[in-house]
Amino acid sequence: MKKNVRMIYPSYIDKFQCIGGKCEDNCCIGWDIDIDKETFKKYHKVTDETMKKMFQKNVHNNKYCTNKDLDYGRIKLNEAKRCPFLDDENYCLIQGKFGEDYISSVCTQFPRVLNKVDDHYEICLDSACPEAARIILGSKEKIEFKESEKNLGKYTMTGILDTRSSEFKDTPIEYFKEIREFSIKIMQDRNLNFSSRLYVLGDFLNELEDIESNKIKEFISKYDIETEAKYYKRESMNYALQVSFFKNVVDSLDIVNESDSDKLKRYTKELLQGYNIKNNQDIIENKEEYIEAFEKYTKEYIENNSYIFENYIVNFIYNNLFPFSESDFMFEGYIMLLFRYSLMRFYLVGKYIYNGKDSVEDMLEFIQIFVKAVEHDKNYRSEILEYIKENSFDNMEFAKMLL
């Protein structure tokens, strides 16, 4: 479908252009590739004998289809977990042979994420793509949003939310746009250090859960970001607690053996060697070393380059319909977002201990790999949220420990 629509989008969108085979990663490697019904039918009508045989061998109906316009069919990856239609230089044989009209909506759209909120379409980029990650995370300027008429093109909708629906009347979702806008405002307040901003975001959403829906706008208008930030004080001992907690998370998820990402496996091995934890006694004995490493890394790399993490969070908030990104409970969205950031930092500090150095380029590369391997793995996400809820970690005390 091709039509012009009113669209809201981050200004960085206009800078993005896929670099194809020059990309150091590839969105056609390691991920299941879904095919919409319209494209699926095209594949099985081609007359080119070579491509016809490839389609018959590698493109099948998806028995777990959830939406015919999204995942009616699926491409079977080869043993190297590559799309069989990639050539030796990582270019698409289908597009080269038949043109862009024969590319599925998923392949055409990525790394763009498209949502619809009320009457507006919203589009942004997914930092699982290396080139998108460089554009999103690498800019020292705050992410700003524009509105104009754009061609929708061939698309797949990620999320649809009508805040005016009767089912959301007298619920916080009715005020989704105001809540999300203020959440972004908190995260872009550069008068505060990054941990303080994350603390305030949690405090804001935690308090908001108890506010009557008809008073939400008033609450937002009176909420003082910088006053609330004064209640936050970083506890150094929490860094040692995080080492223990996230070491157990990495072990329980068995990332070294279970992840489909060879790069994430390598990073995991580096961080485990960096922390050098054989048992819980090691954490107690080495806690001062861990605290020093976290404090040094936070000061030299995170606070000095806080725009990277600010842009990651703001982009996440926008493209995941935050804070309703996990459920109708706003604080669940917050605690999972904080978990992602804190797990990233755990990795970054472990790599820093192992390598003795870091750089902006290496940070951007790691975040892209992390997003692709962890954020796009629904099993990881569901396991983590279930673990948090089962252990009653969905509260501000646990959030303070993660900060």
Side-chain angles (χ1 to χ4, degrees), residues 3 22 24 71 108 149 194 302 320 357 386-387 394:
K3 61 179 180 179
K22 297 177 182 178
E24 64 270 32
D71 58 355
T108 301
E149 195 168 90
F194 195 70
I302 293 182
N320 287 277
K357 59 184 178 62
E386 183 179 349
Y387 177 76
D394 47 347

Side-chain angles (χ1 to χ4, degrees), residues 279-297:
N279 52 56
N280 288 332
Q281 188 62 34
D282 287 339
I283 297 175
I284 297 171
E285 292 178 356
N286 298 327
K287 66 178 184 296
E288 296 300 331
E289 178 185 335
Y290 298 144
I291 290 171
E292 181 181 356
F294 267 83
E295 289 183 334
K296 188 173 183 181
Y297 190 88

Side-chain angles (χ1 to χ4, degrees), residues 161-164 168 170-179 216 324 327-328 330:
L161 180 62
D162 188 346
T163 65
R164 305 158 301 184
F168 300 134
D170 298 325
T171 74
I173 296 177
E174 185 178 0
Y175 302 96
F176 161 74
K177 287 182 284 189
E178 291 87 350
I179 294 169
I216 284 177
F324 305 103
S327 70
D328 290 350
M330 294 177 282

Side-chain angles (χ1 to χ4, degrees), residues 12 15 133-143 190 307-308 310-311 364:
Y12 65 64
K15 299 177 183 177
R134 282 188 284 269
I135 292 170
I136 298 166
L137 308 177
S139 173
K140 295 183 180 181
E141 302 300 319
K142 293 181 181 181
I143 292 178
R190 296 185 177 182
Y307 64 90
I308 295 174
E310 173 192 310
N311 291 343
L364 297 185

Side-chain angles (χ1 to χ4, degrees), residues 133-314:
R134 282 188 284 269
I135 292 170
I136 298 166
L137 308 177
S139 173
K140 295 183 180 181
E141 302 300 319
K142 293 181 181 181
I143 292 178
E144 295 182 347
F145 297 89
K146 300 165 63 176
E147 181 176 347
S148 67
E149 195 168 90
K150 279 185 173 289
N151 189 288
L152 196 55
K154 193 174 184 179
Y155 69 91
T156 299
M157 198 70 70
T158 301
I160 301 175
L161 180 62
D162 188 346
T163 65
R164 305 158 301 184
S165 171
S166 58
E167 68 176 303
F168 300 134
K169 188 171 178 57
D170 298 325
T171 74
I173 296 177
E174 185 178 0
Y175 302 96
F176 161 74
K177 287 182 284 189
E178 291 87 350
I179 294 169
R180 183 178 64 173
E181 182 181 351
F182 197 77
S183 297
I184 290 174
K185 181 179 178 180
I186 291 170
M187 293 312 305
Q188 291 186 324
D189 188 340
R190 296 185 177 182
N191 292 321
L192 307 177
N193 66 45
F194 195 70
S195 292
S196 294
R197 290 184 243 174
L198 283 170
Y199 165 80
V200 174
L201 180 62
D203 176 79
F204 167 67
L205 295 172
N206 191 43
E207 289 193 39
L208 203 55
E209 294 276 20
D210 298 324
I211 300 296
E212 293 179 22
S213 60
N214 62 348
K215 296 181 179 178
I216 284 177
K217 284 189 176 181
E218 180 185 0
F219 172 77
I220 293 174
S221 68
K222 292 182 178 179
Y223 190 92
D224 191 317
I225 295 173
E226 298 196 17
T227 296
E228 294 301 326
K230 293 177 182 177
Y231 292 104
Y232 171 68
K233 182 181 179 182
R234 179 182 281 136
E235 297 290 341
S236 296
M237 186 54 68
N238 284 342
Y239 291 140
L241 296 175
Q242 287 176 39
V243 172
S244 176
F245 175 76
F246 284 118
K247 169 63 165 58
N248 289 334
V249 168
V250 170
D251 287 345
S252 64
L253 294 176
D254 197 15
I255 293 175
V256 171
N257 296 311
E258 295 296 325
S259 176
D260 289 331
S261 169
D262 290 335
K263 291 181 179 179
L264 187 65
K265 287 180 179 180
R266 172 171 59 82
Y267 281 133
T268 304
K269 290 174 182 177
E270 287 184 6
L271 83 86
L272 292 174
Q273 291 182 55
Y275 288 116
N276 191 27
I277 303 170
K278 298 181 180 65
N279 52 56
N280 288 332
Q281 188 62 34
D282 287 339
I283 297 175
I284 297 171
E285 292 178 356
N286 298 327
K287 66 178 184 296
E288 296 300 331
E289 178 185 335
Y290 298 144
I291 290 171
E292 181 181 356
F294 267 83
E295 289 183 334
K296 188 173 183 181
Y297 190 88
T298 299
K299 180 179 179 180
E300 294 186 6
Y301 291 99
I302 293 182
E303 293 301 343
N304 282 342
N305 303 288
S306 61
Y307 64 90
I308 295 174
F309 303 95
E310 173 192 310
N311 291 343
Y312 163 76
I313 297 283
V314 169

